Amino acid sequence: MEKTFRDDFRRFFLRGLAAVLPTVLTIAVIVWVFTLIQDYCGAYINNAAANFTSIIWVKMSNITDPDKASLIRMQVYEFWNRNLFWVGFVFAIIGVYVFGRFIASIFGRVIWRLIERGLIQLPIIKQIYPSIKQVTDFLLTERKMEFSNVVAVEYPRKGIWSLGLVTNSGMRTLQETLPGDQLTVFIPSSPTPVTGYTITVCRDEVIDLPISIDEALRFTISGGVIQPPKQRVGSTRITEENEAQTLVDTKDKENA
């Protein structure tokens, strides 16, 4: 069956969109974040600085006429927003940094936990805030949980295999009570692998997977769509065929 121009256009357009969209969305998110900082922090800092500058300018000039003082304030605002608009953005970035240093301290963590606890109890915010926090924590927070390797484990029941990340050995009581070595495994959920389940299983009941942690996380986030290259069905056969063809081409060139 011959492919029409419509089929070709759809196929190549989707392929091009899949290649371009990640870069475009990444740039769009970065621009949106910086615009958000400027609009909701930098703009107010600029207005406050322009207001303070105009007041000082009027007092230093000994201007008593209200109309003239108002004209000078407008000129100061116009000059500030045209030439010094970046000052508010810089101070906003510094303010976010200082706030991050504050909540990293013991006192700051306690205060921020109290604030978050109060936010979660509000009627509408409690439905929105936890989900947004999960996404921002996954994207921005340093992941301190360390995984040793990736395994496949039968969970939540026999016959169903889930991807798991080994975090540690089993607890001492389980090691002493149960036969065999025990492993603590974190089962990430899709599409937000920052949430999931922590289970303890026998070492003999897991299968080690030769993939990296990043590949496992991409597999989980995509719901299994993005598979590790070496784990795709047929990838080994195709690689062997390509290597064999390369050897044949090399020998043909040598004989020629």
Side-chain angles (χ1 to χ4, degrees):
M1 183 178 179
E2 295 183 358
K3 293 184 178 179
T4 62
F5 173 76
R6 179 180 177 182
D7 296 332
D8 285 341
F9 178 81
R10 179 177 178 275
R11 181 163 62 93
F12 290 112
F13 176 79
L14 292 178
R15 182 177 297 179
L17 190 63
V20 173
L21 199 58
T23 303
V24 174
L25 289 179
T26 301
I27 297 174
V29 169
I30 294 174
V31 171
W32 176 77
V33 170
F34 280 95
T35 303
L36 195 70
I37 294 175
Q38 175 64 18
D39 292 342
Y40 290 92
C41 296
Y44 293 101
I45 295 174
N46 283 333
N47 291 335
N51 186 41
F52 178 78
T53 304
S54 63
I55 293 174
I56 298 298
W57 186 271
V58 169
K59 287 186 177 181
M60 292 179 60
S61 303
N62 295 323
I63 298 174
T64 57
D65 185 7
D67 294 335
K68 192 173 182 180
S70 178
L71 178 61
I72 290 178
R73 289 193 181 94
M74 290 179 60
Q75 291 175 348
V76 170
Y77 270 96
E78 182 180 354
F79 174 81
W80 192 279
N81 291 325
R82 185 177 62 252
N83 301 299
L84 300 176
F85 61 90
W86 52 269
V87 174
F89 178 78
V90 172
F91 274 93
I93 294 295
I94 295 174
V96 173
Y97 168 77
V98 172
F99 181 72
R101 297 281 297 185
F102 170 72
I103 61 176
S105 63
I106 298 176
F107 179 74
R109 282 198 298 267
V110 172
I111 296 298
W112 189 244
R113 285 173 184 172
L114 292 175
I115 294 174
E116 284 188 325
R117 193 174 302 170
L119 289 174
I120 293 175
Q121 293 178 355
L122 296 177
I124 299 177
I125 296 180
K126 69 179 181 180
Q127 306 295 334
I128 304 173
Y129 183 80
S131 300
I132 296 178
K133 181 174 173 58
Q134 284 185 355
V135 176
T136 55
D137 285 347
F138 176 71
L139 295 176
L140 303 177
T141 304
E142 297 179 0
R143 286 178 282 176
K144 295 183 179 180
M145 184 182 295
E146 296 183 357
F147 308 113
S148 58
N149 61 297
V150 184
V151 297
V153 57
E154 286 187 293
Y155 180 86
R157 65 172 177 81
K158 292 289 184 180
I160 297 180
W161 289 89
S162 300
L163 186 145
L165 307 173
V166 179
T167 59
N168 211 329
S169 58
M171 290 186 288
R172 178 180 299 177
T173 303
L174 295 177
Q175 293 279 21
E176 295 175 351
T177 305
L178 300 175
D181 294 333
Q182 304 296 317
L183 294 178
T184 300
V185 180
F186 175 72
I187 309 293
S189 60
S190 299
T192 54
V194 291
T195 61
Y197 300 92
T198 303
I199 63 174
T200 301
V201 294
C202 183
R203 181 67 181 84
D204 298 335
E205 296 180 354
V206 303
I207 300 175
D208 291 325
L209 297 178
I211 62 177
S212 65
I213 303 298
D214 290 336
E215 289 175 334
L217 292 177
R218 285 194 292 267
F219 178 81
T220 303
I221 294 173
S222 66
V225 176
I226 303 177
Q227 292 185 351
K230 294 182 179 180
Q231 294 298 315
R232 295 172 186 168
V233 176
S235 60
T236 303
R237 178 180 57 81
I238 294 174
T239 302
E240 292 176 351
E241 291 178 355
N242 292 335
E243 293 177 351
Q245 185 63 39
T246 302
L247 292 175
V248 171
D249 295 339
T250 304
K251 291 182 179 179
D252 292 340
K253 290 181 180 179
E254 291 177 352
N255 293 332

